[in-house]
Amino acid sequence: MARAPTNANKAAYLFLAPFLVVFAVFTLYPLVLSGVLAVQQTHGPDHARFVGLDNFIGLATDPLFHKALGNTIIYTLGSLLIQLPLALGLAMLLNQPSLRGRWFYRLIFFSPQLMGLVFVAMLAALVFEKRAGLLNQALQWALDGWLDPETAFPWMAVLDGVTWLDFPWLQSFVMPALILVSLWMYIGYNMVYFLAALQSIDKSLVEACAVDGAGPVTRFFAVTVPSIRPVASFVVLLSLIGSLQLFELPYILLDQTAGPQNRGLTIVMYLYQSGFEAGDLGYASAIGWVLALMLVALALGQVFIMRREER
Amino acid sequence: MHDRKTQRVFGVATHLALVPLAIVTLIPFVWLVLAAFKTPEDFSGSLFLPRDDSGAIDLTRLTWMNFVSLFRDVGLGRAMLNSIFLSSMTAVLATLCAAAGGYALARFRFFGRNAMTLLVLGAIIIPPPLLLAPSYQLLFNLHLLDTFTGLILPAIAPAFGIFLFRQATRQSVPESLIEAARIDGASEVGIFVSIVLPLVRPMIGAFMLLTFLMVWNNFIGPQVVLQTAERYPLSVAVAQMRGLYRQDYGLLMAGTLVSILPVAGLFLLLQREFIQGLTSGAVKG
């Protein structure tokens, strides 16, 4: 500990230099610039005009932005309310010490995650295709003869007289299709977190509970839920953050569009379209700020809830 | 608690639930692989294996043609080289910079260390879409649009990596070892290269693979930065195929298969190190 501190300073900053330079140029400066851009209207990167808060006022009344917001929220709810409970269920099935081939199942359920969003979207585009697509073929095989789309969804006029082979996923059911794809892609990923949490539950606690005569449902709520709460809230937060930034999946699934009547438009897709298809980097930055504020609010809310529960 | 018999019944029931789920998970992969080897007629004529006119399975109808035209006509070989270059270059540089930064935060007491740690944590929580438009403007000003440099440079010092390496260094590089090397007169860079890097090796492997996968699968970055088709990596090139070869399903699936095989292989090969490295550094420490 007799080193001259200046030497330690020099060495430490030498090692941190790449980060500091890259951070200053490619994170900090763009962050400031996005604040500047948010009060401008631009035509491409070289024509800008100051517009004050017009971008934000515009967003508040922009029906496309509202559509994007609504779709993104539907997708997020789908992830939270459908996917996470199923992932937990799957993890509980796998969390049996005597279960053979556990690592094999885990690898299988995790594997779609490795494919990458773009390539999953490419595959999904054909899976959801009418007639030749895998899903409609499977639906036709399984349901033909005893349940028509028309009877299954009587309130959907578009399905009148439609067979399962022609079920219009990418035309009329874009959000359900996206929720299905993300279920396939991420359930194993979330399951891995839940499984790790379940495995770290104190066995003696479960046994004590069972000795007291508690059934499996009571044990689940008395022991399992409180024990996995920290991991679960982390998984919920990750899911929220990821879902709100949905872009690649619908964009490629719908062939680089937002789909018919913008049924697949999401917040980040609208940001992309505004900035790089319409060329208004200012409006895009304003959307970016709204998204960032939503994410920060959610993260703070999460911390707040966790704190309050700890007391 | 449970006697043997109930446990066994339970185990069988679990497998009965898990096997169908595993099959449902894997079926899209099987369908994808088979589609890549089928002609357009067989793609629409048969769901999995191609059948001849009498309806019997006919394996001789499987074909390499999709892959041949992928590399000969579509030019996906070029995109693959671009992907390999971008991913490995970014992975190596990012790992090196992250390891150095993480080491500095973990094992040096220097002026501003707390501020630096906060900076790293702050950088992690900035949502990437917020920086999309201004980064485009910046790369335009720097004349880095449509260059590989414009893609690689912003990615070589990821805050998340610095955080991971900070944890790994704290856990597996003893302070005393560094002190001893200093007393022996080793230079700071020498200590980093010959003592610290070997000790955090599991994290190096894991983080390199993670970065490689992330760059390989990244779409929005190259889609925004690159403009010339010859520079597109697989993610952008394959997505473009969808517009160009709409009805050529076999070709589309062959392109997708060729894009996922290298990373899937890499992961399966290294999965043990990958999981060990990430859990050893991220969970504990």
Side-chain angles (χ1 to χ4, degrees), chain B residues 15-234:
Chain B
H15 282 294
L16 280 180
L18 285 174
V19 169
L21 290 174
I23 291 174
V24 168
T25 307
L26 290 179
I27 276 183
F29 286 121
V30 175
W31 190 70
L32 156 72
V33 173
L34 289 175
F37 289 96
K38 285 196 284 193
T39 60
E41 302 82 64
D42 282 336
F43 179 86
S44 37
S46 60
L47 192 52
F48 290 102
L49 289 167
R51 291 166 188 276
D52 61 20
D53 300 332
S54 68
I57 286 171
D58 181 3
L59 292 179
T60 58
R61 295 175 75 105
L62 292 175
T63 166
W64 290 100
M65 264 325 285
N66 291 324
F67 295 92
V68 173
S69 53
L70 209 54
F71 288 99
R72 198 189 51 200
D73 311 326
V74 186
L76 217 63
R78 179 65 199 246
M80 182 168 259
L81 288 179
N82 291 339
S83 274
I84 292 171
F85 176 76
L86 280 171
S87 309
S88 42
M89 199 71 178
T90 312
V92 170
L93 292 174
T95 306
L96 205 62
C97 294
Y103 166 54
L105 287 185
R107 284 286 173 261
F108 282 88
R109 273 175 219 95
F110 60 96
F111 177 75
R113 177 162 88 160
N114 290 340
M116 288 298 139
T117 311
L118 273 179
L119 204 65
V120 168
L121 291 176
I124 293 176
I125 61 169
I126 298 171
L130 177 59
L131 301 183
L132 205 56
S135 296
Y136 179 82
Q137 170 96 58
L138 173 65
L139 292 174
F140 172 82
N141 292 339
L142 294 173
H143 301 286
L144 286 177
L145 279 184
D146 204 21
T147 67
F148 283 166
T149 318
L151 273 175
I152 296 172
L153 207 54
I156 63 163
F160 177 61
I162 291 187
F163 181 73
L164 285 182
F165 274 102
R166 171 178 174 260
Q167 307 301 91
T169 309
R170 278 179 153 191
Q171 210 192 3
S172 48
V173 183
E175 193 116 47
S176 54
L177 207 61
I178 299 168
E179 284 304 321
R182 278 202 188 108
I183 291 164
D184 286 349
S187 71
E188 292 295 341
V189 175
I191 292 172
F192 173 64
V193 172
S194 57
I195 296 178
V196 178
L197 284 185
L199 285 175
V200 295
R201 230 190 98 176
M203 183 56 84
I204 291 185
F207 190 69
M208 232 185 232
L209 183 60
L210 185 76
T211 312
F212 190 94
L213 282 172
M214 269 168 40
V215 178
W216 187 278
N217 291 333
N218 182 7
F219 170 79
I220 196 163
Q223 168 87 355
V224 166
V225 172
L226 300 178
Q227 289 143 0
T228 315
E230 285 83 58
R231 298 203 176 97
Y232 288 160
L234 282 169

Side-chain angles (χ1 to χ4, degrees), chain A residues 197-216 218-230, chain B residues 1:
Chain A
L198 289 172
Q199 281 170 347
S200 66
I201 292 180
D202 192 350
K203 299 278 180 302
S204 59
L205 222 59
V206 185
E207 277 166 22
C209 204
V211 169
D212 286 348
T218 322
R219 272 194 312 235
F220 177 74
F221 285 105
V223 178
T224 311
V225 170
S227 308
I228 65 168
R229 183 157 254 161
Chain B
M1 207 69 27

Side-chain angles (χ1 to χ4, degrees), chain B residues 261-282:
Chain B
L261 273 187
V263 284
L266 208 59
F267 180 84
L268 290 178
L269 211 67
L270 301 172
Q271 61 149 325
R272 183 161 297 162
E273 290 81 56
F274 183 66
I275 288 162
Q276 258 171 13
L278 281 189
T279 47
S280 74

Side-chain angles (χ1 to χ4, degrees), chain A residues 179-199:
Chain A
I179 291 171
L180 270 178
V181 183
S182 94
L183 182 66
W184 180 72
M185 188 172 176
Y186 292 116
I187 191 170
Y189 177 76
N190 290 318
M191 179 206 71
V192 169
Y193 282 107
F194 283 129
L195 193 56
L198 289 172
Q199 281 170 347

